[in-house]
Amino acid sequence: MSRKNIRVCVVGLGYIGLPTAALIASRGATVIGVDIDKNVVDTIASGHIHIAEADLEGLVQKVVFSKKLLARDAPEPADVFMIAVPTPLSGNKKPVVDHVLAAAKSIAPHLAKGNLVILESTSPVGTTEQICDLLAELRPDLTFPGNDERRPDVFIAYCPERVLPGRILIELVQNDRCVGGMTPECAAKARDFYELFVRGKCIETSARTAEMVKLTENAFRDTNIAFANELSLICDHVGIDAWEVIQLANRHPRVDILKPGPGVGGHCIAVDPWFIVDAAPHQARLIRTSREVNDGKADYVFSRVRDLIESYPERRVACLGITFKANVDDLRESPALEIVERLAKACGPRIQVVEPFVEELPQELSRHGARKIELEEALDQSGILVVLVDHDAFRRVGATLRNGAIVYDTRGIWERTSPPPLVNRAPAAQLA
Ligand code: SAJ
């Protein structure tokens, strides 16, 4: 496989598909980037991007202008097809693979002998097999792995993305990849492809194992964050500073507790563990509980802040941050946003929001009278500061700038300068 002659069709130009398409195109391949959203296609075709990600706009502009990345609203023939579309949860916490199957359907007419199809979307175990079955049904003129004794005409693999938002372009190149083939030959073909642009190790396995690896990675992190969040509740209950406990416990050579926060957000860690729970509900007890603990933390923070606000009716309230984590513009599954929405509903115009990564507040917030303000205004005029996201801009605020405001710091970014607010309880502990 050579970078220069290869044509790659990437279906789904979101947080993963777009950076991947741009990176592959920057290495010399011709990439057809496909999205069903016309605005997304038009934005990219004009050299711009619809998401915020470090260094992405410059790269996209370069490959679009050099005609290496072509934004389209439907797939076109290629050597390699990559599917990177969302796999959301249904209301009853079941994985929805409709977008993956629709993407597979859309590439079916363009498949030819020798093609490689790779699924990158986080998916329940067995989804890659489902794609094989679907393609085999739609293209009886071709052979597919798992559906025919003969050597397949089309090779199919699952290779999960594992990049961290904010560092996507770096991690796409540096991280090891787990390449799961429907057959060992499919895995080998997919590995050859990834080695064109990945500097990390590409390790071959089966498609089912690779699907489970992806879910495992995010469930592992969710469970570890749940430990930190549960610990913060326990410390709050017994009147001890959780941040100090964690800092000291982490000095043990084999202890590495993550950070408590207002809950877990994003489209990955807050979602993927449910795929495991759905597949093995009786076995996945810890994984389910971790999800519940992390979701419960947002409820807890909301109640504590509401109590605090009601105890100081004369004070203006500034909530710092609504994105799902630091230094990104992504609001998906954001616990900070959920908390601020509930506060705005309960307390109306007293709630003000500082969010440097978002131009306009979501309608749900402004509808209740919440207003977006600058950080300086919040520091000058707000008597209650609620830190919900650890953006760098908030970290840099020194104690003197906080003007004696009551601080509820859910991310532990500010040093403690005064006793914490006492709301409905006796011990003088900093709220975690
Ligand atoms: N969080 C905490 N405490 C911590 C760490 C994180 O409360 O100590 C919160 C964050 O604030 C955020 C959420 O957890 O709300 C998730 O953030 P994250 O930075 O841990 O992860 P994501 O969702 O941005 O990206 C994860 C990564 N997975 C793992 O680290 C195992 C990334 O590598 C995956 O590619 C990505 O999910 C994905 O797409 O699946």
Side-chain angles (χ1 to χ4, degrees), residues 16 122 161-165 171 175 214 217-218 221 225 229 258-269 272 324-326 335 390 411:
I16 300 304
T122 304
E161 58 81 16
R162 40 162 64 142
V163 289
L164 197 70
E171 294 205 357
N175 289 1
K214 171 66 193 182
E217 290 166 359
N218 282 351
R221 192 155 170 83
I225 300 170
N229 276 331
L258 293 180
K259 298 189 192 82
V264 166
H267 201 57
C268 310
I269 296 194
D272 304 351
F324 92 89
K325 70 172 188 175
D390 44 343
R411 296 281 184 175

Side-chain angles (χ1 to χ4, degrees), residues 108-406:
H110 306 286
L111 288 176
K113 197 170 170 162
N115 281 173
L116 169 64
V117 177
I118 301 169
L119 174 61
E120 282 218 2
S121 312
T122 304
S123 300
V125 174
T127 308
T128 314
E129 287 162 5
Q130 248 183 296
I131 289 182
C132 283
D133 292 345
L134 179 66
L135 294 177
E137 194 188 311
L138 295 170
R139 290 296 303 270
D141 54 320
L142 293 169
T143 55
F144 290 87
N147 284 73
D148 204 300
E149 303 273 282
R150 290 167 294 173
R151 185 169 186 260
D153 290 330
V154 176
F155 302 93
I156 300 189
Y158 178 73
C159 181
E161 58 81 16
R162 40 162 64 142
V163 289
L164 197 70
R167 284 176 48 84
I168 292 181
L169 287 175
I170 298 167
E171 294 205 357
L172 268 178
V173 177
Q174 286 180 355
N175 289 1
D176 291 347
R177 298 296 292 251
C178 172
V179 188
M182 280 296 295
T183 63
E185 195 185 4
C186 294
K189 293 260 182 212
R191 178 187 164 156
D192 284 350
F193 170 68
Y194 279 100
E195 283 180 345
L196 296 177
F197 63 97
V198 169
R199 249 187 274 135
K201 261 196 152 58
C202 297
I203 299 155
E204 293 170 37
T205 183
S206 69
R208 283 178 83 83
T209 302
E211 286 164 344
M212 189 63 190
V213 167
K214 171 66 193 182
L215 302 179
T216 302
E217 290 166 359
N218 282 351
F220 174 83
R221 192 155 170 83
D222 195 47
T223 301
N224 280 278
I225 300 170
F227 182 87
N229 276 331
E230 184 167 295
L231 185 66
S232 74
L233 298 182
I234 295 166
C235 286
D236 204 10
H237 182 70
V238 297
I240 294 172
D241 181 350
W243 299 99
E244 192 182 356
V245 170
I246 292 170
Q247 204 180 25
L248 293 175
N250 280 350
R251 297 191 79 88
H252 184 290
R254 283 172 298 283
V255 173
D256 189 9
I257 302 168
L258 293 180
K259 298 189 192 82
V264 166
H267 201 57
C268 310
I269 296 194
V271 172
D272 304 351
W274 288 116
F275 291 19
I276 298 181
V277 174
D278 180 63
H282 298 297
Q283 292 77 13
R285 292 187 298 156
L286 180 62
I287 292 173
R288 175 199 288 275
T289 304
S290 300
R291 273 289 64 244
E292 288 166 355
V293 167
N294 285 332
D295 282 349
K297 186 69 193 287
D299 291 336
Y300 175 81
V301 170
F302 162 71
S303 309
R304 298 306 304 265
V305 178
R306 188 200 46 208
D307 291 352
L308 189 59
I309 293 174
E310 285 172 0
S311 308
Y312 295 91
E314 77 293 353
R315 293 194 181 220
R316 284 167 64 170
V317 185
C319 295
L320 306 193
I322 53 170
T323 61
F324 92 89
K325 70 172 188 175
N327 306 321
V328 299
D329 69 340
D330 194 343
L331 298 175
R332 290 178 298 174
E333 316 292 330
S334 169
L337 177 60
E338 180 198 324
I339 291 163
V340 179
E341 274 175 3
R342 291 175 69 184
L343 288 172
K345 217 167 164 185
C347 312
R350 276 186 73 199
I351 304 298
Q352 302 185 320
V353 181
V354 181
E355 181 44 82
F357 286 86
V358 167
E359 284 200 0
E360 268 179 44
L361 290 186
Q363 271 191 349
E364 183 63 15
L365 287 183
S366 14
R367 200 157 63 85
H368 294 291
R371 195 166 64 87
K372 184 171 181 280
I373 57 169
E374 297 301 317
L375 180 58
E376 293 68 30
E377 184 181 340
L379 296 173
D380 271 356
Q381 295 176 19
S382 304
I384 298 177
L385 296 171
V386 182
V387 180
L388 294 170
V389 184
D390 44 343
H391 290 316
D392 290 346
F394 302 158
R395 278 184 188 281
R396 287 194 286 266
V397 174
T400 47
L401 289 174
R402 288 176 230 144
N403 279 329
I406 294 172

